[in-house]
Amino acid sequence: MKRLLVFLFIAVLALAGCVQTKTEVEGSKDDSKGKGKKAIEVLGMAASEEDMNIVRDQLVKNGFDVKLNIQPDYGSFSAQKEAGNYDLALSSWTTVTGNPDYAVRGLFKTGGDYSTVSDSKLDALIEEASTLTGDEAAAKYKELEQLLVFDQAYIAPLYISNKYQGIYSELVNPKTVHLPKSRAQVWESIEFNDSSKNATEPLILHQTISSLTSLDPIKGNDGSINTLNTNMYVRLVNLTDTDDVVSDGSLSYNHAIAEGNQEYYFILRDDINFSAVKDGAAVDTGELVSAEDVVFSLNRAKDPKSVPDHRTYSLHENIEKVEIVSDLAELQKKKVAGSDQSVFDALSQHLPASVTQLAKDKGTVNNAAGAYQVVKITTPTPFPQVLNYLAHQSGGIVSEKQVTSINTYDVASYNPDKDIAYGDQTTVTEGTATYNNHLYASGPYILVKKNDYEAQFVKNPAYRVGSEYEPKIAKINVRFIADIDSALSALRNGEIHILQSVPETKLDIVKSDSKLTLHTADSNAVSYLLMNTSGRAVSDSADLRKAILYSINQDEFISYYQGNKKPAVSTVSPLVNTGLKLEADSAKVKEYLKASND
């Protein structure tokens, strides 16, 4: 999430031949430096051919010779991208944490999880902006956008998307279905119109990707697992539908930021146990989701070497220390940032009983008797955006006992062909040799099993029992349908019950169907062209990149989507209004093309 974290790369048809090596690509990098038309290759997947056609036409009109390279799926796209077979990749990013640092750190900082950019000035601006709030933050993000887009043209923005959700309201109560701006779909609140069906009928949801990166929340940050892991693992805080950070529906009753914005406190609840799967059903393990598990989970989340192929460590690299607080006096002495209230008083609001002691370990926790656990997170510099990262699916709390019992391999010599890691999809996939569900879920649902058709979840029997956050529906099936038109047809037929992303070009179909309800919300999803920074003419020439930048006319995209898109400048655009704007300019295109030839 963002949502799903997520890249979506698009383009149009290329020969499905062998992938060139990176060396071969670099060897031919000068083939577009002549005085004639500039040859530009655009890479991506087939999912958004319409966008790629518009990009092609705009570039051709401005004097480029465009080669469109479409790949049928993400795997083949990734192989082409890794080989360097592109000048531009049509990309999409959704800031599922609701904070602007997430919109840039992993994408554009040197060494970021998905970054192909290495620019020390940009790195410095990312770090500076992350520590600021309000007008100061907006000013710094304006500097960042100026460098990223207009000075260096590392990306060319296309548009901001809205969110459109289709609900089969003949069966599902649309009032119980959330459509958050950033957070992944909230499962526990959903109910059928006939509540008697909640315990017996499965809710059928939709997902395009059937191959799951990992069910370990720190090992993936993409559309295959973002929603699934968000609903399988509880976090210290949550995002509301409009991106406010709250404790509601999380592992904490309350949280507080101490003076100086470097210390963050969380008082934990004791009404959530880990669930496991036994004989195809979810069972209560009797194991409390505790402060010890929080410390273990966040320490491994911030450590790039804690697991092989760690995809989310950069989100948590600003956590310096995670610890359990044992001294009540510390909470009483500390003041809340910008307030005269003590941290103790801030954490003590609306608890089941007044705090009389801090439990030394999970075995002595008893909220009803006043014994609570408190976790403290320290950052090396003021970094208020740390809370948004804790709301991300990678901040999900796992069982220290279970994960350490599974991950017995040596990380440095990990071999996926023989080593079984916690969360490997093969352990829940029917028919695989390693099928042996070892998951422990701290969230409202747990994955029982999957195949190429769907993934089956059941409610955690030890999650917030008797509260408003206890899951309403007992069984949820996530149906895998790659083609969005087929998914929409399935929604209309009641074969799936919620379509989380209705295409803008299909809104009238949903509106006109009496069995369906359409929900609409703002989103943090931005589509943009990513420039290749290694081995191509665009890699070497900022002038050539700027010529591409000023060829892009966002109004044409907005018109094609019947006004259901918004202008963008960067991935920060839905979060911070910097006042910058990209306008197509053919005169500038000619100027920069000429400069790139000189």
Side-chain angles (χ1 to χ4, degrees), residues 1-5 184 222 224-230 393:
M1 55 181 195
K2 267 224 178 165
R3 151 182 122 85
L4 186 292
L5 144 34
D222 59 74
S224 75
I225 47 76
N226 181 263
T227 296
L228 311 187
N229 283 343
T230 296
Q393 60 95 17

Side-chain angles (χ1 to χ4, degrees), residues 64-86:
F64 291 92
D65 181 13
V66 181
K67 175 184 177 182
L68 299 174
N69 176 3
I70 194 167
Q71 296 299 315
D73 54 45
Y74 185 75
S76 56
F77 163 81
S78 296
Q80 290 279 326
K81 184 172 182 287
E82 176 63 25
N85 294 343
Y86 72 102

Side-chain angles (χ1 to χ4, degrees), residues 575-593:
L575 303 152
V576 179
N577 181 10
T578 64
L580 296 176
K581 183 178 181 181
L582 173 65
E583 295 184 350
D585 191 327
S586 295
K588 285 185 178 180
V589 173
K590 292 178 182 178
E591 173 189 340
Y592 285 121
L593 276 176

Side-chain angles (χ1 to χ4, degrees), residues 428-430 435 437 447-451 454-457:
V428 296
T429 303
E430 294 176 310
Y435 181 47
N437 193 322
L447 175 57
V448 176
K449 61 183 178 180
K450 74 171 285 286
N451 51 38
E454 67 181 8
Q456 297 179 11
F457 291 78

